[in-house]
Amino acid sequence: MTLPTPILPPRLSGQSTVVRLTVERLAQAGLSPEPLLREAGLADVATADLDLPGAEGQAAFLNLAAEMLQDPSFGLHLGQDYDLRKLGLLFYLMGSSETVGEALSCFERFSSLDDPSIYGSYRISDIAVTVAVGSAEAGRCLDRHLAEFWLVSIARLVTELAAGDAVPIGVSVSQPQRDTAEVTQGAFAAPVAFAASEDRIDFEVRLADIRLPTAEPYLHASLLPHFERAVEAMRWEPAVVWARVKKAMAPRLPHRTVTLANIARDLGMSTRTLSRRLRDERKTFSGILDELRAELAIHYIRIRGLPISEIAWHLGYREASAIVAAFRRWTGMPPSQVRRSQAGGSAPSDPPSYREPMDARPGAKQR
């Protein structure tokens, strides 16, 4: 792939991509977006610039548009059809990166400039590269249309950046399974799990090191200061601390060094501050750790010949008996049965009914 001539927006932020695209889609269908924008509590479109809406307003607008267009999978279809260059300078910053990992780091760092109410997250473990999106508002999940739009966009971005050498190994959505589940499954070349702990796509771990055929170090070096200045002007820091905690936990798991003190140090804050921030986001340290283990466990169990005892080691458990109990809690089945179900193609790619342990509390010790 070669980078096409940039479509340069007048500024880095000021318009939400998904709202702008929805307005265009309605106009293409001969429908006026203005009544729906007003009903959703968003700005009128009398001018070219839309006020930055929150995730709730965007979700309401997409739901209204889906109903007006009679498209129950509107978020998916919107994400599948648009020119990725409409992401603006972020597309060119990512495309000019050296590797896919560097491009995804840019997505994590700067995607909220498009809309501060939505965060992007990128993490890597020894089994998967994970890209997640979510609401910056504590305790909220993204609406289905909004989440599916961004998941499809991420899949397209990564596939294009890697020149087709990237296929998702799993997709998880936080919303429950609906009548449109078959359409959702068909949009990704990977199993889709519903009612998951977050909206994310998992890729093979080798993806991070794939070099981009479009790498342009001079262009990248020219663009980066503009993004850094924009971040500084917004005094922006990732609003969702728990996603950063989850990212910091992943490489420490096999070494059993996932402690509140270590993760706080990795994130440059005190344990007291970290505990308070997680409490504000209605999360607990041990609950996040359990989510991460549950997520990775399903990937490990697919690897034929990998002993349960070794999976326990990868997940930071001292004894195999601990992971057997964990699998029963996550899936209702022991790991051997989950493995047989996976082999038969009947098991989900994410624990379908994950619940935070009743004794979850900040700083809980690992078993």
Side-chain angles (χ1 to χ4, degrees), residues 12 14-24 50 52-53 58 61-62 78 82-88 90 111 113-115 146 149-150 153:
L12 289 170
Q15 294 184 338
S16 167
T17 298
V18 68
V19 170
R20 188 170 64 249
L21 292 173
T22 302
V23 167
E24 291 177 3
L50 298 172
L52 279 174
Q58 291 187 55
F61 182 48
L62 263 67
L78 190 67
Y82 75 99
D83 187 334
L84 289 172
R85 292 177 297 172
K86 290 187 176 182
L87 290 171
L90 180 62
S111 60
L113 288 172
D114 179 77
D115 177 12
L146 198 53
F149 167 81
W150 279 111
S153 295

Side-chain angles (χ1 to χ4, degrees), residues 119-202:
Y119 73 87
S121 175
Y122 158 62
R123 61 182 180 270
I124 184 168
S125 68
D126 61 350
I127 195 68
V129 164
T130 299
V131 189
V133 291
S135 171
E137 184 178 343
R140 290 185 64 92
C141 293
L142 289 183
D143 179 83
R144 178 172 62 93
H145 290 300
L146 198 53
E148 291 182 345
F149 167 81
W150 279 111
L151 289 176
V152 169
S153 295
I154 291 167
R156 291 183 60 206
L157 265 172
V158 171
T159 300
E160 186 160 340
L161 290 173
D165 191 20
V167 177
I169 59 176
V171 178
S172 299
V173 294
S174 58
Q175 297 295 327
Q177 187 165 336
R178 300 171 183 259
D179 294 340
T180 57
E182 187 174 345
V183 179
T184 304
Q185 294 276 5
F188 302 97
V192 178
F194 298 90
S197 59
E198 63 183 335
D199 297 292
R200 68 173 185 269
I201 303 183
D202 298 311

Side-chain angles (χ1 to χ4, degrees), residues 26 29 31-32 35-36 39 62-71:
L26 288 167
L31 302 170
S32 173
L36 303 188
E39 187 174 347
L62 263 67
N63 286 332
L64 290 168
E67 184 177 350
M68 179 70 72
L69 294 167
Q70 299 182 345
D71 184 356

